[in-house]
Amino acid sequence: MENIFRQKIKLNTNMKMLAVVGAINFIGAMIICFVIYNVIKGSKMEDYGSRTYNAAKVVSRFVDVSKVIKYRDSLEIDDEYAEPVRLLDKVKVDLGLRYLYVESWDKTGQRFIIYDATEPGDGVTDSAYNRDLLGHKMIEEDYATQVMSNKENIDKYQKADTSYGKTVCSYYPIKDENGKNIALVGADIEISHVISRINRLVIIFVSIVLIVIILFTMFSIFAINFYFSRPVKKIAKIVNHFVNKKHDKINIETIKINTKNNDDIGILVSAFNKMMINVKKYAKHIEEITIEKEQVAAELSVATQIQKSLIPHIFPAFPELEEMDIYAVMQPAQKVGGDFYDFFLMDSEHLAFVIADVSGKGISAALFMVIAKTLIKNEANSSKDPGEILERVNRQMCMDNNLGMFITVFFGILNLKTGEVEYSNAGHTKPIGKIQSKQFKEIDVKKQFVLAGMPNLKFKTNKLWMKKGDILFLYTDGISEAQDENGVCWGKSNIISSLDALDTDKCDLKFISENICDKVYGFMGDIPQSDDITMLIIKYNGNKNSERESV
């Protein structure tokens, strides 16, 4: 009887100890979950805030300020209005934004839309949708007004609860040439997306915590009923193994337990502290790397779309002109490249064309390319002398060129009536042409120094004449210096032989460019592309008006 009584007391004590251990485990788990939820929530909000801010900032750099002012003042849509809207659509979809728009204020202080990315899949055409949105009045918002007025110490992003929904929003100003804010780029991400992602992470972690609690409680039963010291040593051994080899990807505040014991409890506490510190550092490191990669990917995606939109990409470019055909292609080695081409009519009789190669690759080369392209086109508005145009561009590009970058350029002007080509070559690869001949050959043009290398250089203008059926093939060294697996370059001889193998009198220019690209990539095989591939092809069809008059 006495033994039975003692056994009951023992069982009751075990149950009490088990209840205390279970309660402590549960409370501790809830505290950890609460801490993790707030840390993850703050981190994700910062992540999405940075994404909206960087998206607005990058878009603001490539928006045409003159067109923003034009649409802001006139509130009238023209043929050029749809292009920036399509760019905003692409950026919005790539970055998962809820809204992406450009806004401003009228003289009365009314906030209104200039550009707005359309809703995907809404079934409304660009013209109909944008006609309704240009000038659309918006509700006043203190945050937008503060950014527009350059108020100091403004957060990069802000949570907003408006008639448009609950969002994380950022604004970045668009400035005119005097540095005055004339409009804002707004980028919003719906908060529900952020919360849903946080909830998924929390659910995963809570599930892990609950499993750990169940396992630990079962282990406690074993420890209470049998031995304590031996299981504790096993726990310490398992914890040390976990710290050294298996880190969970979690982000939590470090939990440190102080103890002066040198027994089994002290070993367990020491190992536990070490594990939590290492998990904290590892999780934070992984999170920083992930955020950095997402930001870089977002910026590169925007830059790629913007660069593609800056060069002519619609062919035939001038369907109304019978005197010539033109086609061009650019394949960057990275997300963005340093090569570029451009062509435009200076007047009804003169076609300007340019192909160029910037030193280096990536974002810096792409930005340098944008500067060069803009300067060349601007200077061509005031002169028809290629050498004089390159001299002016060179002087401007040498200013503040602290990175020591340079650019090779071949710039020419084709007289559509006579076939005369005036050109100037600033260190660029010599063109290949079928000029007054039945075969292609390298044109002996004089190379001059590159642009942005030295100020106050003189650039000479030279001439060549094209007859009916003549073809001018301009390219960058990414084609001739393409290498196979043995490091052998494709070379200009292969370009010439490939062109001669085609019946260029019958095939169009697009077919010629595709044929050259296929042969270059076939030559490289599985070797990654190391340089940008760019080509520009011009075919002179003769002066149709003169032919009709002679007939």
Side-chain angles (χ1 to χ4, degrees):
M1 187 69 178
E2 184 177 356
N3 291 334
I4 296 175
F5 179 75
R6 289 179 179 177
Q7 186 176 7
K8 288 182 179 181
I9 294 177
K10 182 178 181 181
L11 290 175
N12 289 335
T13 302
N14 289 342
M15 293 302 297
K16 290 179 180 179
M17 293 181 64
L18 179 60
V20 170
V21 171
I24 292 174
N25 290 340
F26 181 79
I27 294 172
M30 292 303 101
I31 293 174
I32 293 174
C33 289
F34 176 78
V35 172
I36 289 175
Y37 177 83
N38 285 281
V39 171
I40 294 178
K41 180 179 179 181
S43 173
K44 288 297 179 182
M45 293 296 287
E46 181 66 24
D47 176 21
Y48 281 92
S50 297
R51 181 184 298 183
T52 56
Y53 178 82
N54 289 331
K57 182 178 180 180
V58 172
V59 170
S60 70
R61 293 177 179 174
F62 296 94
V63 170
D64 191 326
V65 177
S66 62
K67 291 181 180 179
V68 172
I69 296 174
K70 172 184 174 182
Y71 296 130
R72 181 197 66 182
D73 296 338
S74 67
L75 296 180
E76 292 180 359
I77 295 175
D78 55 21
D79 294 337
E80 298 177 338
Y81 182 79
E83 184 64 24
V85 174
R86 283 192 289 268
L87 176 60
L88 264 63
D89 286 345
K90 179 63 177 175
V91 174
K92 186 185 79 169
V93 172
D94 288 346
L95 299 185
L97 302 178
R98 174 70 179 184
Y99 303 108
L100 183 61
Y101 48 90
V102 177
E103 62 178 36
S104 187
W105 281 256
D106 60 21
K107 295 180 180 179
T108 65
Q110 175 62 53
R111 181 177 172 218
F112 67 94
I113 288 290
I114 297 178
Y115 298 127
D116 189 15
T118 59
E119 289 287 345
D122 59 4
V124 183
T125 62
D126 284 348
S127 59
Y129 183 81
N130 295 325
R131 182 166 58 250
D132 293 336
L133 285 183
L134 178 59
H136 176 73
K137 296 180 180 179
M138 301 178 68
I139 301 172
E140 287 302 316
E141 184 182 337
D142 291 339
Y143 180 46
T145 304
Q146 292 172 1
V147 176
M148 189 68 176
S149 60
N150 283 329
K151 186 176 179 180
E152 296 181 355
N153 300 323
I154 303 176
D155 294 332
K156 289 185 177 180
Y157 68 93
Q158 192 174 78
K159 291 187 289 184
D161 187 2
T162 67
S163 59
Y164 300 103
K166 295 182 178 180
T167 61
V168 173
C169 64
S170 294
Y171 293 100
Y172 199 88
I174 299 174
K175 301 179 182 293
D176 61 13
E177 60 184 2
N178 297 321
K180 180 181 178 182
N181 294 347
I182 61 168
L184 296 180
V185 178
D188 297 7
I189 291 182
E190 194 171 6
I191 291 181
S192 60
H193 297 165
V194 182
I195 300 301
S196 63
R197 294 192 179 188
I198 295 174
N199 289 340
R200 284 198 296 269
L201 292 174
V202 171
I203 290 172
I204 293 173
F205 185 79
V206 169
S207 300
I208 295 174
V209 170
L210 290 176
I211 294 173
V212 172
I213 290 175
I214 293 172
L215 294 176
F216 189 77
T217 302
M218 294 175 63
F219 177 78
S220 299
I221 295 174
F222 176 80
I224 292 171
N225 285 280
F226 295 93
Y227 302 98
F228 184 76
S229 178
R230 185 174 64 182
V232 167
K233 290 182 179 179
K234 290 182 179 180
I235 292 174
K237 183 178 179 180
I238 293 172
V239 170
N240 277 311
H241 178 72
F242 172 79
V243 169
N244 293 328
K245 296 183 179 181
K246 300 178 181 179
H247 292 280
D248 287 336
K249 297 179 180 179
I250 56 174
N251 183 17
I252 60 175
E253 294 294 328
T254 302
I255 301 174
K256 187 175 181 180
I257 303 173
N258 295 319
T259 179
K260 297 181 180 179
N261 297 335
N262 295 320
D263 55 9
D264 297 337
I265 301 296
I267 295 173
L268 176 61
V269 170
S270 177
F272 182 77
N273 287 338
K274 183 180 179 181
M275 179 188 71
M276 299 308 292
I277 292 172
N278 281 279
V279 168
K280 164 72 176 179
K281 292 179 179 178
Y282 183 76
K284 184 177 180 181
H285 178 65
I286 293 297
E287 183 180 12
E288 290 173 350
I289 293 176
T290 302
I291 292 173
E292 183 178 353
K293 287 184 177 180
E294 289 178 353
Q295 291 174 345
V296 171
E299 292 179 0
L300 282 176
S301 178
V302 173
T304 300
Q305 297 305 317
I306 292 174
Q307 186 181 46
K308 288 181 179 179
S309 68
L310 288 176
I311 61 176
H313 56 278
I314 298 176
F315 297 97
F318 307 105
E320 72 281 3
L321 294 179
E322 299 179 352
E323 290 84 358
M324 65 86 193
D325 293 323
I326 190 167
Y327 191 82
V329 65
M330 182 185 77
Q331 296 291 345
Q334 300 180 6
K335 286 284 186 180
V336 290
D339 285 7
F340 77 89
Y341 65 84
D342 196 9
F343 51 82
F344 50 90
L345 287 172
M346 304 178 74
D347 53 40
S348 61
E349 298 180 1
H350 294 87
L351 171 75
F353 59 92
V354 61
I355 189 168
D357 187 356
V358 178
S359 61
K361 302 179 186 65
I363 292 293
S364 59
L367 293 175
F368 206 67
M369 157 260 184
V370 172
I371 296 172
K373 177 183 178 298
T374 302
L375 290 175
I376 290 173
K377 193 166 187 178
N378 288 344
E379 294 298 335
N381 291 329
S382 58
S383 175
K384 285 188 173 66
D385 185 335
E388 181 182 355
I389 291 172
L390 293 189
E391 286 180 21
R392 295 177 181 178
V393 173
N394 180 64
R395 283 196 298 269
Q396 296 180 67
M397 297 195 70
C398 285
M399 297 178 184
D400 300 323
N401 185 15
N402 298 326
L403 295 179
M405 301 182 71
F406 63 87
I407 179 171
T408 67
V409 177
F410 187 97
F411 178 73
I413 300 175
L414 169 64
N415 188 315
L416 300 178
K417 282 191 173 183
T418 65
E420 179 187 58
V421 177
E422 293 186 284
Y423 66 88
S424 185
N425 185 15
H428 195 73
T429 305
K430 293 181 180 180
I432 294 172
K434 188 171 70 171
I435 307 297
Q436 301 182 24
S437 172
K438 294 183 179 180
Q439 292 183 325
F440 284 89
K441 61 182 179 180
E442 186 178 66
I443 300 174
D444 187 18
V445 299
K446 182 179 180 181
K447 277 190 178 183
Q448 302 175 89
F449 202 65
V450 298
L451 296 189
M454 296 175 61
N456 303 320
L457 289 177
K458 297 292 183 180
F459 290 87
K460 293 183 179 179
T461 297
N462 298 293
K463 297 181 180 181
L464 61 86
W465 282 264
M466 299 180 70
K467 292 185 177 181
K468 181 179 179 180
D470 286 354
I471 294 177
L472 187 62
F473 182 88
L474 299 105
Y475 64 99
T476 59
D477 56 13
I479 297 179
S480 58
E481 295 180 4
Q483 297 182 355
D484 62 9
E485 59 184 6
N486 298 318
V488 178
C489 293
W490 198 48
K492 63 184 177 183
S493 60
N494 279 319
I495 301 177
I496 295 174
S497 62
S498 298
L499 291 171
D500 281 331
L502 299 172
D503 188 353
T504 55
D505 292 332
K506 296 181 179 180
C507 59
D508 59 20
L509 302 186
K510 181 180 179 181
F511 179 82
I512 295 174
S513 69
E514 290 176 346
N515 183 272
I516 295 297
C517 284
D518 290 343
K519 290 190 175 181
V520 171
Y521 288 124
F523 177 81
M524 291 191 298
D526 296 330
I527 302 299
Q529 182 180 339
S530 61
D531 198 0
D532 303 336
I533 292 177
T534 306
M535 67 185 81
L536 175 66
I537 312 174
I538 301 173
K539 183 176 183 180
Y540 184 60
N541 299 324
N543 188 349
K544 300 297 182 180
N545 292 330
S546 297
E547 291 178 7
R548 284 192 286 267
E549 291 173 1
S550 63
V551 172

